Amino acid sequence: MTTPVRDALPDGVPALTGDVLAIRGGRPLRGRVDVKGAKNLATKAMVASLLGETVSTLRDVPAISDVAVVRSLLEVHGVRVSEGDEPGALVFDPSDVESAHFEEIDAHAGASRIPILFCGPLLHRLGQAFIPDLGGCRIGDRPIDFHLDALRKFGAVVEKLPSGIRLSTPNGRLHGANIHLPYPSVGATEQVLLTAVRAEGVTELRNAAIEPEIMDLIAVLQKMGAIISYEPNRVIVIEGVEKLRGYDHRSIFDRNEAASWASAALATDGEIFVGGAKQQEMLTFLNVFRKAGGWFDIQEDGILFRREGELRPVVVETDVHPGFMTDWQQPLVVALAKAKGISIVHETVYEQRFGFTEALVDMGATIQIHTECLGSHACRFGQRNYQHSAVIAGPVSLHGADIVVPDLRGGFSHLVAALTAEGESRISNVGIIARGYERFIEKLQVLGADFDVDG
Ligand code: EPZ
């Protein structure tokens, strides 16, 4: 029995599909919000449960729609999913994994890119897998060539069909491979991890992604019985094993959500305690936060964020970990628009991630987007006519506007902009924000924001 996405969200968490937020800005956000498990780990750990012969339990699972999508995709493949022994725990029973009809997969994949990560586990369990055309935020072409190249190296046969991609293992069990990623892609690294752990022989992955979410996924797989070593210079070595068992794991906290609320405190001149946030995974963000005029206090159970004096302009270059995370730049840009001077954001991970600035310009921000690499080093997108550097001139006062949310992080930056703006903003398509921000409506209420939800 498959749980429709709407019903998979816990009681009281609105799907917000058609809703509009009417926000009246000007109030500093004050109070405490708690962040739970990371969207970008929880969804992958859920897929990893397919690899185990026995039941897995994932704890601190965020109540977000991306989790609901993966839950229903697991259920169409025969995994029984149930609530665990504490709030935020989900239990996965993969004992009856079965193949699913591509229409069912397509119907449940929705706007997610996660189906691509089902390949390895389903090829191990069933000898075949199907991927529909992928969704995800429109922040670049987002090809899957690294994923398919890796799967072919493991011995999978890849067939492109009008409805998607079918994979199979006509030669029996997948085998280890030597893979060198052209770019340290998070998704492709996860693809290799989720496939190599049960492939015959050893896999050596070079130029791997090493984000904290990757390290946490490695911890999950090791708990299941996998043998994975992480060597210097982005090398990961996996010794394949025949069988894996289930895991019991508490997800790493969502550092992207934590950084978003920190930027909201900075832009609204408020004070927000983010429960569950930790310093180690946010070192680079905290440096930029301080340079931009922020102040933070690391405490046992979280981090307190606020402004210290005037906002200051900064130069930020997004990069793979341990660089400044690409998902952190959007909410921060709102604070930079209010800083006295010129800030620069050089986006080096995605080639088209400044669409969200159009609405900020409509609200009165002075932001110009350039195709040059306006940072300390040239990136993959230089000389290729991609709008991937932003010049932000401040200070400006923002005013209310009607906004349609374009993507997840862009949507959160629009919330922050509306909360700092004079007058009222009407923000529609806010359902996208629920894909990655748990209970954000309640959190805005707790922080004293002045708004209404117009259903
Ligand atoms: C993950 O996306 C995250 N999503 C993204 O967060 C995050 O921005 C990104 O990693 C980078 O940290 C999830 O974990 C669900 P990539 P992913 O593969 O895996 C190119 C959010 O807001 N590439 O590291 O899709 C790609 O086009 C989301 O939470 C290829 O060219 O990112 C991009 O330019 C947004 N070919 C770059 O690599 C491939 O086969 C990084 O992509 C794969 C990727």
Side-chain angles (χ1 to χ4, degrees):
M1 196 281 296
T2 311
T3 314
V5 170
R6 168 77 195 82
D7 301 334
L9 292 174
D11 294 346
V13 178
L16 296 172
T17 38
D19 297 282
V20 172
L21 292 190
I23 298 181
R24 291 163 295 278
R27 276 195 203 160
L29 296 184
R30 295 189 188 289
R32 172 182 179 136
V33 293
D34 290 289
V35 294
K36 288 254 271 318
K39 165 178 87 72
N40 294 347
L41 177 274
T43 47
K44 317 324 171 34
M46 291 169 73
V47 176
S49 71
L50 276 167
L51 289 162
E53 305 292 316
T54 53
V55 167
S56 290
T57 301
L58 184 61
R59 300 178 186 283
D60 275 355
V61 180
I64 55 176
S65 41
D66 270 19
V67 162
V69 166
V70 179
R71 176 176 180 158
S72 57
L73 283 169
L74 286 170
E75 287 170 336
V76 292
H77 286 95
V79 177
R80 277 186 295 282
V81 184
S82 53
E83 314 308 317
D85 55 9
E86 63 180 38
L90 283 180
V91 177
F92 309 95
D93 179 352
S95 35
D96 300 326
V97 169
E98 59 194 11
S99 58
H101 197 273
F102 76 82
E103 271 153 7
E104 261 199 308
I105 298 171
D106 209 11
H108 287 93
S112 174
R113 299 182 62 73
I114 302 292
I116 183 94
L117 295 179
F118 276 65
C119 296
L122 289 177
L123 286 170
H124 285 307
R125 297 295 303 258
L126 305 171
Q128 59 169 347
F130 172 82
I131 323 165
D133 290 337
L134 297 175
C137 292
R138 290 283 163 260
I139 52 181
D141 294 348
R142 307 191 78 176
I144 54 170
D145 49 338
F146 305 165
H147 295 252
L148 299 181
D149 292 348
L151 287 162
R152 287 190 189 95
K153 287 207 173 103
F154 284 113
V157 171
V158 179
E159 281 173 84
K160 296 229 166 118
L161 308 172
S163 53
I165 297 171
R166 181 170 45 216
L167 298 102
S168 57
T169 56
N171 316 318
R173 192 173 167 201
L174 297 174
H175 52 73
N178 288 327
I179 296 165
H180 188 126
L181 293 178
Y183 180 82
S185 148
V186 167
T189 299
E190 293 160 340
Q191 183 73 258
V192 171
L193 287 169
L194 291 167
T195 308
V197 284
R198 285 188 57 180
E200 192 160 11
V202 175
T203 294
E204 186 177 272
L205 174 60
R206 290 184 169 279
N207 204 24
I210 53 169
E211 271 65 7
E213 294 78 18
I214 294 282
M215 292 306 144
D216 209 36
L217 181 61
I218 289 176
V220 168
L221 294 166
Q222 194 178 54
K223 282 180 179 176
M224 299 177 83
I227 301 171
I228 307 174
S229 9
Y230 162 52
E231 299 177 358
N233 304 324
R234 297 180 176 282
V235 176
I236 300 177
V237 177
I238 307 114
E239 297 168 42
V241 296
E242 191 92 23
K243 287 189 181 311
L244 294 172
R245 58 181 177 274
Y247 63 79
D248 189 325
H249 186 77
R250 187 174 301 284
S251 169
I252 189 177
F253 80 98
D254 196 314
R255 61 197 178 114
N256 294 344
E257 184 184 354
S260 299
W261 289 114
S263 292
L266 191 65
T268 64
D269 196 7
E271 182 165 294
I272 302 178
F273 181 80
V274 181
K278 296 193 178 70
Q279 184 180 17
Q280 203 56 40
E281 290 82 0
M282 298 182 76
L283 291 175
T284 309
F285 175 82
L286 295 172
N287 290 336
V288 171
F289 185 80
R290 177 169 279 153
K291 286 182 188 169
W295 177 90
F296 57 85
D297 178 36
I298 311 292
Q299 300 177 15
E300 272 305 299
D301 60 344
I303 305 178
L304 180 65
F305 295 98
R306 65 173 164 78
R307 214 190 271 184
E308 186 172 49
E310 295 301 309
L311 288 170
R312 293 189 289 273
V314 293
V315 174
V316 174
E317 289 196 276
T318 68
D319 206 343
V320 294
H321 189 80
F324 190 90
M325 230 308 203
T326 172
D327 305 330
W328 294 341
Q329 53 104 330
Q330 301 80 356
L332 182 69
V333 163
V334 178
L336 299 181
K338 301 166 73 65
K340 192 160 185 291
I342 303 290
S343 297
I344 290 176
V345 177
H346 179 206
E347 171 58 57
T348 76
V349 179
Y350 288 106
E351 67 272 23
Q352 274 151 12
R353 200 160 198 185
F354 286 118
F356 74 98
T357 61
E358 285 163 31
L360 300 183
V361 170
D362 291 349
M363 298 175 81
T366 308
I367 304 176
Q368 287 179 337
I369 311 299
H370 298 264
T371 57
E372 295 78 13
C373 296
L374 297 181
S376 62
H377 68 275
C379 78
R380 297 169 301 147
F381 306 135
Q383 321 302 328
R384 294 171 60 197
N385 203 26
Y386 286 122
Q387 302 268 337
H388 72 292
S389 291
V391 176
I392 303 138
V396 299
S397 302
L398 300 178
H399 54 76
D402 291 353
I403 300 169
V404 180
V405 167
D407 58 67
L408 176 61
R409 308 299 169 188
F412 196 90
S413 87
H414 294 157
L415 287 182
V416 175
L419 289 160
T420 68
E422 272 153 47
E424 180 170 290
S425 300
R426 294 182 61 75
I427 306 186
S428 54
N429 204 22
V430 291
I432 289 188
I433 304 173
R435 283 193 39 221
Y437 291 93
E438 179 188 64
R439 298 177 194 278
F440 74 96
I441 297 281
E442 281 169 44
K443 288 174 180 172
L444 287 174
Q445 279 155 347
V446 165
L447 294 172
D450 179 9
F451 70 101
D452 302 312
V453 179
D454 290 358

